[in-house]
Amino acid sequence: MDPLRTSDPARIAGHRLLGRLGEGGMGVVYLARSAGGALIALKVVRGEYADDTGFRARFRREVAVARRVTGPWTVRLVDAAPDAEEPWLATEFVPGPSLAEAVVRHGPFPVRGLRVLGARLAEALHGLHEAGLVHRDLKPGNVLLAPDGPRLIDFGIARAPDDTSLTADGVVVGTPGYLPPEQAGGPAGVAAGPAGDVFSLGCVLVYAATGRPPFGTGPVDALLYRAVHDAPDTAGVPGELAHVLERCLEKDPARRPAARDLAHGLAGDAGRAPAGGPDADASPFGQVDESSAPWLPEPVVRLIAQRSAAALDLPDVDDTESCGTSEPAPGPERSPAGTAEGDSTGRPDRSRADLPPASGRRRFLAATGGAVLLAAGGATALWAANRDGSAPPEARPGKPRPTIALHGDLSGPDKETGRAQERGLRLAVEQFNARPGRPLTLAVRAEDDGGDPAAARRIAERLAGDPAVLAVVGPTTDATAEAALAAYDTALLPVVAVSPGANTHSLQGYRSFCHARVTDTVLAFYLNVYLRGAAASRRVGIVQDRAADHHGWEIGSTLSKLLHEDGHPQVPKVVSALRRDFRPPVDTLLAAGADSVVFAGRYERAALAAKVLHDRRFTGARAAAQAILDTRFLTAAGDAAEGWLAVAPVADPTALTAGAAFTAAYERRFGGPPPRYAAEAYDATGLVLAGIGGLKTSRPTRRGLLAAVRGTPYQGVVKKLAFKKDTGELVIGADNGVFLWRVERGDFRCRGPAPVTVPT
């Protein structure tokens, strides 16, 4: 939890604010204590959004939905003022992890835990459906875990089944990978009914049982297609539950069980809730299990206990009241000068009276129940007791210095890229530490995952658990990023990545992830411009290699779509991951008249295709994305590599006017010219360092640093880095950091920025 700022009120409608839990583009979430002493999460919408009549109407609807949700396994709305000058709502709060976090950190659930989880979530859905609503976004991140049972959260897009206001324009609402077929692939305006929630619950339970979603991961288009057409992957689901979940995942909504029937079916002896669950005696779905066996895995129980212990340090209700509360007001209480109520400086009152004896805090904790806080954007759960607010205590003797970490492949297949990024980071930090008047001195820590996703996950957990680590640059590859980002996000540890390209990293909605390069999907745009412009291609052949998974899909399918929209002739060819002989697909393209070829895949198989084209004496344009920008492509392809072009989000700083100072500093420090990705890592680190400098404190927090990094544009050596405040998405401008590289005389040479328009 971050401290309140001078601009924050001390109270809102009688609720005493204790600190900041999160901040997004649309508002702020505070941890507060109600007048009755309960801990609550209070979401306040920014004034500029409140002035939007459409947004205010949606906020009123969210409050109205929350008032109708009253079941024991859903969050309870405590208070709300949708018509206030700055609208706000308050919900119950518990310091528990989400299901997504629990599975990422501690693995799949046992059978008993799956039964309790499924039965109680089905009961929550039944209550929602009885109230005439559907949730429409049930996913692991929207399930909180508490010792007495799960809680279903986030009703921001819950609607009546016949309400199609969100889908009238054809936009898919919800989270791909957990959407039912009728929501993922139906025509615009088709209502999502209660059966869709049951399908999503089946997906959630498969995830809890196996650690992976039933329709895999990948680009959004692929996830939506699989939900509509493919059978779910339930391998690893315990046999006694597999049949139940397969019924939930039927493509036909009419064949799925109702939520009430599902709750009854799962609430056997193993599925009954633990003693003491909310309203357990009144539950129609099963009697309370008198056994003491926990329903949660032991590591998850320990995690909840740790976070509950952190809550003991919060101010007690008696001390809150002793600060002089006034009568409840309809909005924030402020001093006549407009600053927060408090001392003569205008700061909120945070006197020593806010530190009660431990016994009083424990009395309060025992009295509080409830579940959740909703993030400022309305779709993300944030937890108060994460270690993300810890300030590295640089001033204390014996404590480690605040640190910027490099997480990369320093010894595995992509060690050239990882080591280049490490050097770029070290140079930036050394220059920062040499500045007079800096707010603090930083340490550098380099962690090597060797390109192994399992090692990447362990490293992420280790870095996230070290309060001295303020930010991370990396990881190096898509696979290691996919394994690591959830752990970083759990701790709200800022992560800036410059080499992974999969669009899915951004689509997962990680709060702490800054994708400091255009995605592979965007690179297809530059390939399209190059082929139709500089290459003057009349018919483009596309080899989409399934062995490249995300990369192949995003490059190949996006390029094909762009060419189709432009009415440009193309010959697309999808190649099996098992194929090693590229002569048949290449011959198919050439026979169809392709005068240019794009390989949507990685360097090793691109080399195989390059050799076939060389043998066929093909002289047309041959292109790919950054996956072939690798010395291993040159080695594997030999003479056949000559003339190939790569569109890549990486520059040669020695060829940039803005890169002269960086190049000189790099050569002085490391004795040679900077390799690819050194400048990008230098810029990413510079972005973080600018955020630290802007905070002007020797004890910055991760949360404060993340807000600074996302909130302030930074001009780097290669490009300008700026992110959208509400989504964290990279803002793409004319200075986009995408360059053309061509193989000339056996090596890649940078040919300048990639063009963005086709000459007329």
Side-chain angles (χ1 to χ4, degrees):
M1 180 176 67
D2 285 345
L4 296 171
R5 300 178 185 173
T6 56
S7 59
D8 290 329
R11 296 177 179 83
I12 294 179
H15 305 302
R16 174 68 184 273
L17 304 188
L18 304 177
R20 283 175 163 239
L21 289 167
E23 181 175 6
M26 295 182 180
V28 180
V29 181
Y30 298 101
L31 181 63
R33 195 179 299 289
S34 70
L39 279 179
I40 58 174
L42 198 151
K43 177 171 70 173
V44 181
V45 177
R46 297 187 191 280
E48 59 265 33
Y49 289 98
D51 292 338
D52 182 336
T53 56
F55 183 89
R56 188 178 285 273
R58 291 192 295 274
F59 191 82
R60 288 194 193 100
R61 186 161 44 196
E62 181 179 350
V63 171
V65 168
R67 293 191 192 281
R68 294 168 64 181
V69 178
T70 59
W73 310 112
T74 53
V75 297
R76 182 175 65 86
L77 182 71
V78 174
D79 200 359
D83 296 315
E85 182 178 350
E86 292 186 341
W88 57 269
L89 65 81
T91 63
E92 295 173 306
F93 170 79
V94 294
S98 70
L99 176 62
E101 179 188 349
V103 171
V104 166
R105 295 183 63 161
H106 302 297
F109 276 39
V111 172
R112 170 175 161 76
L114 293 170
R115 283 189 172 275
V116 172
L117 177 70
R120 295 319 172 209
L121 290 177
E123 185 177 343
L125 289 179
H126 172 69
L128 196 66
H129 299 162
E130 286 288 287
L133 300 167
V134 288
H135 190 283
R136 304 208 296 184
D137 195 22
L138 178 54
K139 58 185 177 182
N142 281 343
V143 176
L144 274 181
L145 302 176
D148 54 5
R151 303 293 193 280
L152 179 60
I153 70 170
D154 194 357
F155 303 100
I157 63 172
R159 296 289 186 274
D162 58 353
D163 183 351
T164 60
S165 58
L166 284 181
T167 55
D169 59 357
V171 174
V172 175
V173 175
T175 303
Y178 296 91
L179 293 178
E182 60 271 25
Q183 202 171 332
V190 174
D197 283 345
V198 172
F199 185 95
S200 298
L201 177 55
C203 294
V204 166
L205 294 177
V206 170
Y207 175 82
T210 65
R212 63 181 188 280
F215 297 101
T217 59
V220 170
D221 289 351
L223 294 175
L224 297 177
Y225 179 90
R226 293 172 198 154
V228 175
H229 300 286
D230 291 358
D233 177 9
T234 58
V237 175
E240 61 189 273
L241 294 179
H243 176 67
V244 175
L245 299 190
E246 286 168 359
R247 289 182 59 217
C248 294
L249 297 173
E250 288 279 0
K251 304 296 185 190
D252 181 358
R255 296 175 62 86
R256 300 172 202 151
R260 181 183 182 88
D261 295 336
L262 181 60
H264 275 299
L266 289 171
D269 290 343
R272 292 171 184 161
D279 299 335
D281 292 337
S283 173
F285 298 98
Q287 298 181 4
V288 175
D289 182 5
E290 298 299 335
S291 73
S292 60
W295 75 281
L296 290 168
E298 182 59 30
V300 179
V301 175
R302 288 198 300 270
L303 179 62
I304 295 173
Q306 292 168 359
R307 294 185 177 178
S308 298
L312 294 175
D313 288 329
L314 296 171
D316 203 356
V317 62
D318 295 336
D319 301 278
T320 300
E321 292 174 350
S322 71
C323 295
T325 58
S326 59
E327 292 298 317
E333 299 174 11
R334 300 182 185 273
S335 68
T339 57
E341 176 184 278
D343 62 18
S344 60
T345 66
R347 288 186 287 268
D349 182 6
R350 299 186 195 91
S351 65
R352 293 296 299 176
D354 282 348
L355 300 176
S359 59
R361 297 196 296 270
R362 290 189 178 91
R363 283 199 306 274
F364 172 78
L365 186 67
T368 58
V372 68
L373 79 98
L374 299 178
T380 308
L382 300 172
W383 325 125
N386 283 352
R387 291 168 288 189
D388 51 43
S390 314
E394 182 188 25
R396 300 182 197 171
K399 295 293 183 180
R401 281 193 299 171
T403 299
I404 307 297
L406 184 286
H407 176 173
D409 178 0
L410 305 179
S411 61
D414 293 282
K415 59 181 178 290
E416 290 183 5
T417 299
R419 290 173 179 174
Q421 292 181 22
E422 180 190 0
R423 288 185 169 188
L425 181 149
R426 289 189 181 278
L427 179 59
V429 173
E430 288 170 6
Q431 292 177 341
F432 177 87
N433 286 340
R435 297 175 191 168
R438 64 188 180 279
L440 73 171
T441 300
L442 293 164
V444 171
R445 175 174 170 181
E447 292 279 358
D448 176 22
D449 61 29
D452 177 18
R457 184 179 296 109
R458 292 191 296 271
I459 287 171
E461 291 173 350
R462 192 159 60 242
L463 291 175
D466 184 348
V469 178
L470 290 178
V472 173
V473 174
T476 305
T477 68
D478 283 322
T480 52
E482 185 173 346
L485 289 180
Y488 289 134
D489 196 63
T490 296
L492 212 67
L493 175 56
V495 178
V496 187
V498 299
S499 49
N503 199 37
T504 52
H505 304 320
S506 300
L507 293 174
Q508 293 293 334
Y510 294 120
R511 299 163 293 159
S512 66
F513 178 54
C514 298
H515 208 171
R517 54 150 289 189
V518 300
T519 63
D520 289 346
T521 301
V522 177
L523 291 181
F525 164 81
Y526 296 100
L527 281 167
N528 176 44
V529 171
Y530 166 76
L531 291 165
R532 296 193 299 113
S537 175
R538 296 182 303 277
R539 185 179 298 274
V540 179
I542 304 173
V543 179
Q544 181 178 317
D545 186 10
R546 288 197 179 277
D549 196 21
H550 299 250
H551 180 78
W553 175 283
E554 292 181 26
I555 297 295
S557 64
T558 305
L559 176 59
S560 179
K561 180 180 179 181
L562 290 170
L563 291 169
H564 175 75
E565 290 174 350
D566 291 331
H568 197 85
Q570 60 176 296
V571 187
K573 182 68 176 176
V574 178
V575 176
S576 166
L578 300 178
R579 176 176 288 280
R580 297 293 299 175
D581 181 1
F582 276 81
R583 288 175 296 181
V586 167
D587 288 342
T588 298
L589 299 184
L590 300 184
D595 60 359
S596 64
V597 173
V598 172
F599 190 86
R602 305 197 184 280
Y603 74 89
E604 61 269 48
R605 288 162 66 84
L608 298 177
K611 288 182 175 181
V612 176
L613 287 168
H614 186 261
D615 291 343
R616 300 297 187 263
R617 302 183 182 279
F618 182 77
T619 58
R622 291 141 290 159
Q626 91 283 349
I628 72 161
L629 188 60
D630 192 302
T631 55
R632 291 170 292 182
F633 172 74
L634 304 176
T635 301
D639 293 342
E642 195 70 16
W644 272 76
L645 181 131
V647 175
V650 59
D652 177 2
T654 65
L656 299 176
T657 302
F662 164 75
T663 299
Y666 189 97
E667 290 178 340
R668 285 194 301 270
R669 175 64 176 84
F670 299 108
R676 290 187 292 269
Y677 286 107
E680 283 71 21
Y682 179 85
D683 283 350
T685 310
L687 171 72
V688 172
L689 298 175
I692 292 174
L695 293 174
K696 297 180 180 178
T697 174
S698 63
R699 302 182 67 185
T701 66
R702 291 174 175 178
R703 194 186 302 275
L705 178 56
L706 178 60
V709 167
R710 283 193 169 181
T712 306
Y714 174 77
Q715 181 60 58
V717 171
V718 176
K719 62 178 180 289
K720 184 177 183 179
L721 291 171
F723 302 92
K724 297 179 181 178
K725 287 186 178 181
D726 52 346
T727 64
E729 181 183 356
L730 180 69
V731 177
I732 302 174
D735 182 16
N736 50 53
V738 180
F739 294 82
L740 300 181
W741 292 76
R742 187 187 301 278
V743 180
E744 298 174 355
R745 301 184 303 281
D747 199 2
F748 280 105
R749 318 278 178 178
C750 187
R751 310 311 301 167
V756 295
T757 58
V758 178
T760 56

